[in-house]
């Protein structure tokens, strides 16, 4: 099955325990209704939320699955080979070096060259969305986005939708890894 629910992270960050529990209850109910299958998530924030708040659920990252089964034939394998991308590690992967390593393995299998951006790996800086920074302090959030998007002249590659959207809204050429693996248009620009 496919679950298209929000994990509730924005409510959690906002201190809205009632809304957060409501989101988790919907996910838990859908999971039970589906027969308690393993949940595969492409979102690092969802992965963290589920690990901490739904420990009964068996979880796996989409990136781990793709490394096991192989990169889809539909990927932009030939269109991206040789390109240099600045890898945007989302703050949600700060304590998940395996996830970060898996992303880099996938990028290398697509033939991409990786530029390590400042404050990546163990020290990734938030894109301005986490913790609802943009809502709490929009000036600081804009400063963070401006600093992050000018750290490199190369295109960026994100594996967090919020990082991708925040940087793209600021005018930075940035794609999400999903766009390279499952392109909307064959040979298109992700």
């Amino acid at each position: 099955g496919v679950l298209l629910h929000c994990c509730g992270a924005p409510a959690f960050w906002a201190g809205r325990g009632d809304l957060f529990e409501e989101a988790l209850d919907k996910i838990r109910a859908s999971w039970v209704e589906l027969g308690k299958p393993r949940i595969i998530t492409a979102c690092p924030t969802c992965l963290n939320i589920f690990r901490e708040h739904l420990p009964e659920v068996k979880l796996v990252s989409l990136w781990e699955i793709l490394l096991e089964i192989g990169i889809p034939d539909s990927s932009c394998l030939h269109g991206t080979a040789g390109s240099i991308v600045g890898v945007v590690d989302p703050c949600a992967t700060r304590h998940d070096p395996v996830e970060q390593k898996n992303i880099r393995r996938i990028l290398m299998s697509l033939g991409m060259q990786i530029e390590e951006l400042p404050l990546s790996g163990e020290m990734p800086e938030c894109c301005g969305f986490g913790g609802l920074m943009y809502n709490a302090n929009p000036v600081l959030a804009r400063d963070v986005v401006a600093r992050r998007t000018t750290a490199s002249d190369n295109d960026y590659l994100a594996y967090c939708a919020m990082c991708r959207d925040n940087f793209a809204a600021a005018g930075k050429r940035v794609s999400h890894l999903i766009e390279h693996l499952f392109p909307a248009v064959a040979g298109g620009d992700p």
Side-chain angles (χ1 to χ4, degrees):
V2 177
L3 296 176
L4 298 176
H5 299 277
C6 174
C7 69
F12 180 71
W13 294 331
R16 291 294 309 269
D18 56 332
L19 295 176
F20 179 58
E21 286 303 321
E22 185 179 316
L24 287 180
D25 288 345
K26 285 180 182 178
I27 292 165
R28 188 179 292 110
S30 295
W31 173 69
V32 169
E33 186 178 321
L34 289 168
K36 299 183 179 180
R38 172 175 65 165
I39 291 181
I40 302 169
T41 178
C43 174
T45 298
C46 292
L47 193 61
N48 286 344
I49 290 288
F50 295 162
R51 280 178 178 157
E52 185 174 341
H53 300 280
L54 293 175
E56 67 273 25
V57 174
K58 185 175 180 190
L59 299 167
V60 66
S61 164
L62 173 64
W63 318 120
E64 186 178 332
I65 295 291
L66 288 173
L67 286 169
E68 286 174 14
I69 65 171
I71 302 301
D73 291 337
S74 63
S75 73
C76 293
L77 183 58
H78 302 293
T80 57
S83 60
I84 302 171
V85 292
V87 178
V88 177
D89 286 323
C91 58
T93 66
R94 179 174 291 121
H95 303 295
D96 197 344
V98 172
E99 185 85 341
Q100 293 174 351
K101 202 174 289 183
N102 286 343
I103 294 299
R104 283 152 177 81
R105 288 177 56 204
I106 291 170
L107 295 177
M108 288 187 292
S109 73
L110 290 173
M112 293 182 175
Q113 295 181 38
I114 298 167
E115 176 189 15
E116 295 295 347
L117 297 173
L119 298 175
S120 61
E122 293 178 356
M123 301 288 287
E125 183 177 12
C126 179
C127 70
F129 183 79
L132 301 177
M133 183 190 308
Y134 196 85
N135 299 84
N137 191 337
V139 173
L140 176 60
R142 282 191 293 273
D143 288 348
V144 166
V145 170
R147 184 176 57 256
R148 296 275 323 264
T149 57
T150 57
S152 170
D153 291 334
N154 288 318
D155 290 353
Y156 284 4
L157 186 129
Y159 51 107
C160 166
M162 294 298 97
C163 292
R164 187 242 172 249
D165 289 354
N166 275 349
F167 296 163
K172 181 67 179 178
R173 277 188 49 87
V174 57
S175 57
H176 192 288
L177 181 53
I178 290 283
E179 296 171 301
H180 292 270
L181 296 169
F182 304 100
V185 177
D189 182 2

